[in-house]
Amino acid sequence: MVDTEQTDAPSEPQGRHVTYCGVCTLPPEYCEYGGTVKKCQDWLQKAHRPLYDRIWSPEALEAATASLSVEAQKRAAKDAQKKAAQAEKAEQKQADRMANSVITIKRVERNKRKFVTAVSGLEAFGLDLKKVAKEFGKKFATGSSVTKVPSGGEEIVVQGDVSDEIEEFLLEKYKDIPEDNIELVDDKKKKGAAAG
Amino acid sequence: MFKKELPTVPKSKLKSSVQRSLRQSLLTTYPLLNRYIDEILPKKGSLEAMKLPDRYTLYVLDSQPLFFQIDTDTLLPHLKLVHRFPAGFPSIRIDRGAIRFVLSGATLMAPGLTSAGGRLPSGAGGDEGMDEEERWTRELEKGEPVVVRAEGKMEACAVGLLVEGTKEVKEKGKGPVIEEAHYLGDGLWKLSTD
Ligand SMILES: [Zn+2]
C-alpha cells in the first residue's frame, strides 16, 4: 500500500487504489455483511484470486470469529441468515418484475422522413436511464436524452431511426434482458397530421 | 443520514472562486491532507457539485466523489476518498461486533470503542497520526469529524461527526459517539456519480 512516512510534496501519486466488490460494491472484506455473500465470493474468486484467498482463508475466518463471544456469534449468524433471506426475496421479486416487463422501442416519425426512437421500460431491468442514454448517444453518435412522458415515467429519446441497432445493443450489453421482452413499435404519423 | 437511496441529480460546475475556498476549508479542517491536496484537487481540475436532499451537497471531480456537507457546515470526506488517502483523516476503531450495527445505520455507541477490539486515541501527543497500536495520537474534540475503521479490516467503514469528545467517551464508556454517519453501502455510497 502507501508509505505514510513520505516527506511533503511527493512527486508520485499517493492515492491508494482500492478494489471494490463487483456484486455488492463494498470493499470485499465487508461482503460478509451484505446479503449476497455467496455471489460476492464467486465474483472475488474469479476476479481477484489473491484477495479472495486472503479474505476467505480458514485462518482469516477463524480470527474473525475468535474475538466474538459465542452469544455474539450466534446473533451475527442469525442476522446474516435473515439478510440472505431478504436478499433472496428481493432478487426473486426483481426476477419476477423483469420477466413481466417489456422494453418498448418505438420509431416515431417527427417530420417527413425524420425519425426519433423512443425507448421505455428500461428501469424495470435495473438500468440507470441517464447512463444508458449516454451510452446510446456515444454508440450511435447521435443526440440521446431522458425525457419525461405524460403518463409520469421517463423514456430515452434518441435522434434518428435506430430501433434495430438499439435492440441489438441492449441484448448484447445487458444479458439480463430476454429478447422476448423487447418489442419494436412503429408509430407512423397519419397522412396530413401536423408535424410535431 | 443516507439510509435511503438517493435520487440521481445533475452535476453543476463550480466557479473557480468557490473551488478555491472549498480547497482552503478542506485544508483547514484536515491539515494532514496538505501533501495530497494537489492530487485530490488538481489545479486544472474542475470540481462539480451535486445537490442532494436535506440540504446536502456532494462534491465530485471526474466522476469521483470527494467530500460532502450540509449547507456550509463541516466538510466530510466520502468514504472512497478516505480509502484513497487514509492517512489524511483522524480515525477511531470499532470492534468486530459493532461493524454490522454501523453498516445498518445505527448510532455508534461507546462500548464498541472501549472494548478490547476497539481503539480510541492515546492522547500521547507528538506527531499527529496513528501509533503502532492503531491509536490516534491526539484526543478528538466533540464536533470534530472522524473516520471509523474496524477491527480486522483494512478499509474504513464510516465517517461522521463526534457527538462526544474521545476523552469523555473513555471516561463514560457509554452513550452515543457518532450519530448520522455516512457508512459503507448507504445511499451516498451507492449514489451514481458518473
Ligand atoms: Zn460483495
Side-chain angles (χ1 to χ4, degrees), chain A residues 21-28 30-31 36 40-41:
Chain A
C21 175
V23 178
C24 73
T25 77
L26 304 190
Y30 287 98
C31 287
T36 53
C40 294
Q41 283 178 321

Side-chain angles (χ1 to χ4, degrees), chain B residues 31-32 90 125-130 136-138 140 144:
Chain B
L32 293 172
D127 276 351
E128 181 158 7
M130 209 155 65
W136 201 253
T137 52
R138 177 174 66 85
L140 307 172
E144 263 195 76

